[in-house]
Amino acid sequence: MKIWSISLHNIKSKPLYTFLSVFILTLSIALLIGIQQLKNAFKNQIENNVGNIDLVIGAKGSPLQLVLASILHLDNPTGNISYEEAKKIGKHPMIQSAIPISYGDNYKGYRIVGTTKDYFGIYKAELEKGRFVSASMEVVLGATVAAQLHLNIGDTFLSSHGLVENSLDVHQDAITVVGILKPTQKVIDRLLITNLESIWDVHHHEEEKHEEHAAGHHDEHDVHHEENKEITSLLVRFKSKRALVSMPRKINKDTNMQSALPAYELNKLQEYTNIGFKTISGIAYLILVISCLTIFTSLYKMVKERAFDLAILRTYGASNFQLVQMVLYEALTIVFTAFLLGFLFVKTVFFFTLISMQTNYQQDVLQALPFKDLLQIASLIFTMIIVSVVLAIYPIIKMNISTILSNEK
């Protein structure tokens, strides 16, 4: 307890050194934790959202754009494809499932996706309340959408054309909320899911509405409903991974559509982003080294300037180990304070970033940092600090009490 008191007194006696040490170390820790959290969140989002989708088929264009638009819903679609052509591909014997999706409208920035019931299975999404879509102009809300827009079962709204919120191109067909999904921490949380007919109807309002009300022609209507219709993309799962070799090449060569492998495209994207992550991590490590040098300078300066006081303590019975403890406690106090501040800083920044994202069409892509990663960063920092302390206490170990006392006199 007495040694702790001396260490705290030493910290208080040099506020500028203490502030600089804590500030620089906090900055380094915040950068390291922040970068690691972003990397983990990015990786988790890719793994969670790709699910069992082996291939995405859509209009010609950028494969990465097709994947980002169709799976993560972070980009604009490359165009539309014929639903009839997509259904033919979906019947290929090597394909286990082919789920069509169509989108191009939004409600307050959240995308409305027309698809089939199989789409919920990709994300293992379950109903929190209500039911799934059974008719045109019905919609099931993702958990984030329901929470952010305060919509409930039975509520109706008008969608807007395009993927960005606007009041200039609003459709006149009211959409009714019939279900709300449980949170999944996946992209479906920020989507409004309806059937394909809703997307087609809302864009062909008068003609389709007239056909819907034509009595006694339901079967003809169902067939006609899909003729000449378009979808945005087709999410494919193969029966065997061997199809990954032949099917993409065949589709790209023999059709006017393109195929993209989600895992391959997103791994490429991850490699690009890793360049930025590594650069910022390098800056964080450089700041960490500077921080350790600052702490070492501060401790070494204290040991040299207070050599007489330390020698006096030795004459009163203090051991070298207790003097080393005093220096170590001082360093640990700075490290724990900086680590706590750095951790809280990152959490605070991400918290407000998360709130900002949820008011837009972005999703809460940030997740908690795994304990093992946090422990890895803490171990690195403490190792470097311990090295700094060991170098700083060298004069204590080599202390000649009689020489110090005689020189001071």
Side-chain angles (χ1 to χ4, degrees):
M1 184 65 185
K2 198 171 181 180
I3 296 175
W4 270 111
S5 299
I6 297 173
S7 298
L8 290 176
H9 175 75
N10 288 337
I11 290 173
K12 291 177 182 176
S13 66
K14 44 183 181 179
L16 181 60
Y17 269 104
T18 303
F19 172 76
L20 287 176
S21 300
V22 171
F23 176 76
I24 298 173
L25 191 56
T26 299
L27 181 62
S28 170
I29 291 170
L31 281 174
L32 288 172
I33 293 177
I35 287 298
Q36 192 60 42
Q37 186 150 353
L38 285 175
K39 286 170 67 177
N40 279 15
F42 186 71
K43 183 180 177 184
N44 289 338
Q45 282 298 310
I46 289 177
E47 291 176 351
N48 288 339
N49 289 310
V50 169
N52 295 322
I53 302 171
D54 295 317
L55 190 72
V56 180
I57 300 172
K60 295 284 188 185
S62 163
L64 178 59
Q65 181 183 349
L66 177 62
V67 171
L68 289 176
S70 300
I71 295 183
L72 298 181
H73 292 275
L74 293 176
D75 206 341
N76 294 321
T78 54
N80 290 330
I81 58 176
S82 164
Y83 185 43
E84 287 299 315
E85 293 298 317
K87 282 199 300 184
K88 291 177 183 175
I89 293 176
K91 293 176 182 176
H92 194 282
M94 298 180 79
I95 291 179
Q96 180 175 327
S97 66
I99 302 172
I101 63 171
S102 182
Y103 56 90
D105 295 331
N106 78 92
Y107 178 61
K108 293 189 175 180
Y110 291 95
R111 296 187 180 192
I112 301 172
V113 177
T115 184
T116 64
K117 287 183 179 178
D118 294 334
Y119 187 75
F120 297 99
I122 296 176
Y123 305 104
K124 297 181 174 58
E126 298 177 351
L127 283 172
E128 177 77 32
K129 53 185 175 181
R131 59 174 175 79
F132 288 110
V133 174
S134 61
S136 178
M137 308 314 294
E138 293 181 344
V139 70
V140 171
L141 306 180
T144 301
V145 178
Q148 292 298 312
L149 302 185
H150 305 292
L151 290 173
N152 215 327
I153 305 297
D155 291 344
T156 60
F157 60 88
L158 300 178
S159 61
S160 302
H161 187 65
L163 301 178
V164 180
E165 181 181 7
N166 70 85
S167 58
L168 300 176
D169 194 358
V170 178
H171 298 298
Q172 297 306 310
D173 299 87
I175 300 176
T176 305
V177 178
V178 298
I180 296 175
L181 299 175
K182 293 179 180 178
T184 62
Q185 305 303 319
K186 299 174 184 175
V187 68
I188 198 171
D189 286 354
R190 58 181 171 86
L191 298 177
L192 297 90
I193 311 299
T194 184
N195 54 17
L196 291 169
E197 287 76 10
S198 297
I199 302 295
W200 295 331
D201 285 344
V202 84
H203 289 96
H204 301 84
H205 171 68
E206 293 184 0
E207 178 187 353
E208 297 299 328
K209 224 173 182 181
H210 175 74
E211 291 180 6
E212 278 184 3
H213 292 292
H217 294 83
H218 292 296
D219 293 339
E220 290 181 15
H221 164 74
D222 291 340
V223 173
H224 181 71
H225 210 282
E226 296 180 356
E227 287 180 354
N228 302 319
K229 298 300 181 185
E230 293 183 331
I231 60 172
T232 307
S233 55
L234 192 67
L235 308 180
V236 174
R237 184 182 181 188
F238 293 125
K239 292 178 181 176
S240 169
K241 297 299 180 186
R242 286 182 299 177
L244 289 170
V245 179
S246 57
M247 280 290 290
R249 189 182 309 164
K250 182 177 176 59
I251 291 170
N252 291 335
K253 182 180 178 182
D254 299 340
T255 71
N256 60 352
M257 297 176 277
Q258 73 162 335
S259 62
L261 299 170
Y264 175 73
E265 297 297 335
L266 293 177
N267 278 334
K268 279 201 307 184
L269 178 64
Q270 194 170 8
E271 288 178 6
Y272 296 147
T273 56
N274 276 342
I275 297 173
F277 287 145
K278 286 179 180 177
T279 303
I280 299 176
S281 296
I283 295 172
Y285 286 126
L286 180 61
I287 296 175
L288 177 61
V289 171
I290 295 172
S291 173
C292 291
L293 288 174
T294 304
I295 293 173
F296 162 72
T297 304
S298 174
L299 296 176
Y300 187 79
K301 188 170 177 285
M302 183 274 291
V303 171
K304 296 296 286 184
E305 288 180 349
R306 300 197 172 181
F308 180 76
D309 296 336
L310 296 176
I312 289 292
L313 287 174
R314 284 291 313 277
T315 60
Y316 278 89
S319 65
N320 270 346
F321 178 69
Q322 287 175 310
L323 298 183
V324 170
Q325 272 186 300
M326 187 178 68
V327 177
L328 182 63
Y329 289 166
E330 186 175 336
L332 291 179
T333 302
I334 292 173
V335 172
F336 277 117
T337 303
F339 200 90
L340 182 62
L341 290 176
F343 184 79
L344 291 177
F345 178 76
V346 171
K347 288 293 181 185
T348 303
V349 169
F350 283 171
F351 174 76
F352 286 108
T353 303
L354 190 63
I355 291 177
S356 172
M357 284 181 172
Q358 285 182 336
T359 58
N360 209 317
Y361 59 90
Q362 297 287 344
Q363 189 192 17
D364 49 338
V365 295
L366 305 176
Q367 296 184 2
L369 187 65
F371 178 74
K372 66 175 184 178
D373 292 331
L374 201 60
L375 185 63
Q376 188 177 2
I377 294 172
S379 301
L380 172 66
I381 293 168
F382 279 96
T383 300
M384 296 188 69
I385 294 300
I386 291 297
V387 171
S388 302
V389 171
V390 169
L391 295 175
I393 63 175
Y394 182 74
I396 295 178
I397 298 172
K398 293 295 183 182
M399 179 185 294
N400 187 323
I401 298 174
S402 57
T403 303
I404 293 172
L405 294 178
S406 59
N407 289 339
E408 191 67 20
K409 289 177 182 176

